[in-house]
Amino acid sequence: MHLEIEPVPSSFRKAIPHDVLNLAFGSVFTDHMFTMQYSGGIWHSAKIEPYHPLLIDPAALVLHYGQGIFEGLKAYRRGERIFLFRPRMNLERMNRSAERMVMPQINSDFVLSSLEQLLTIEKEWIPTQNGTSLYIRPTMIATEPKLGVKPSDDYLFFILLSPVGPYFKEGFRPVGIYVADQHVRAAEGGTGQAKTIGNYAASLLASTIAKQAGYSQVLWLDAKERRYLEEVGTMNIFVVFDDEIVTPPLRGTILPGITRDSVLTLLKHWGYTATERLLSIEEVLDGLTSGKIKEIFGCGTAAIIAPVGRLHYQDKTYTIASESIGPLSQRLFDELTGIQCGERDDPFGWVRVVNESG
Ligand SMILES: *Cc1c(COP(=O)(O)O)cnc(C)c1O
């Protein structure tokens, strides 16, 4: 497919923010965006164009029935070099989300090369300071105007870019999590493993309750027994026992995180026993009381690693690692961010250097 490029004239370009560390996450967008359209069974009209509001029909299916999916990844820059972290995994996961939501597949080679052109055009927007990056948001929405519930015939795919600092306003500091026992995120057979927009709307009530109680994220339990840990808000979760590191298994209810996969790989590489298994809230509370649990952390593209300092469950609050950053959380954070911005060895070939891929 041909990619048309319509650059923003330089006199119309926005001021690039200098103090990215203090920007609210995802609140500023670059000058250009990528768009392509799907109709008549094919993707067409691929374009890099000025960032602009969308004109969609008020009957567009996405607005009524939530047929929409997205992804999240980051670009880093050191000097002239631009780095992406495992971008193909994001595009493959987007195609799996598309399959679950009866949406069309994208050509990941074409989308990746379009993204790389967009990043090259927006290079000056990629911040270079430690702890900053350019967040990339690929999105696909159903645009056919129709009030009947059915898969759309037409779609819009777009990519937005946003310079970001740390996801949590605390920065890389322990966060508090609130175990939801009134609400659930996803049941087996549902859409929990897809990055589909409705999952996040459905999470807002529990996260509002958590925020009112002073916690930044919700820890979800399984829908059937309300007993087994699932994941945290926009992150997967790891619990570090004295002899084993545990993360919940992929049973179709949680997002298969790329950071989760990277953490599991690093832990095994470093010689730890890292297990994907069911982990009940009782086992966690026992481990916290007995001291067998040394650390708990969340992991995802936005926050990378988020150490958990406090956990709230049914009117009781537990502290973890005296609310300090545990050594393993610190090591994983340093290693992952070091690999992502090209400053550390990349033994698993995770990093893609944009300007050198040809
Ligand atoms: C995106 C996301 C994650 C993290 O996935 P990464 O690929 O590591 O960014 C975890 N849980 C949910 C619900 C998510 O939406």
Side-chain angles (χ1 to χ4, degrees), residues 109-122:
D109 288 331
F110 178 74
V111 170
L112 184 54
S113 86
S114 304
L115 168 62
E116 295 191 346
Q117 290 197 57
L118 179 63
L119 289 169
T120 307
I121 290 171
E122 302 288 50

Side-chain angles (χ1 to χ4, degrees), residues 93 185 195 200 231 233-236 255 257-259 300-301:
R93 185 171 66 190
R185 178 182 174 276
K195 238 173 155 71
Y200 304 85
E231 61 179 323
T234 55
M235 300 183 290
N236 295 111
L255 225 284
I258 293 157
T259 321
T301 296

Side-chain angles (χ1 to χ4, degrees), residues 100-101 185-196 198-199 252-253 255:
R100 178 64 180 82
M101 304 309 292
R185 178 182 174 276
E188 279 180 66
T191 57
Q193 85 283 34
K195 238 173 155 71
T196 181
N199 286 346
T253 53
L255 225 284

Side-chain angles (χ1 to χ4, degrees), residues 302-322:
I304 317 287
I305 300 289
V308 176
R310 283 177 308 138
L311 182 142
H312 181 96
Y313 180 64
Q314 293 184 341
D315 301 323
K316 276 184 88 174
T317 301
Y318 302 78
T319 26
I320 303 134
S322 325

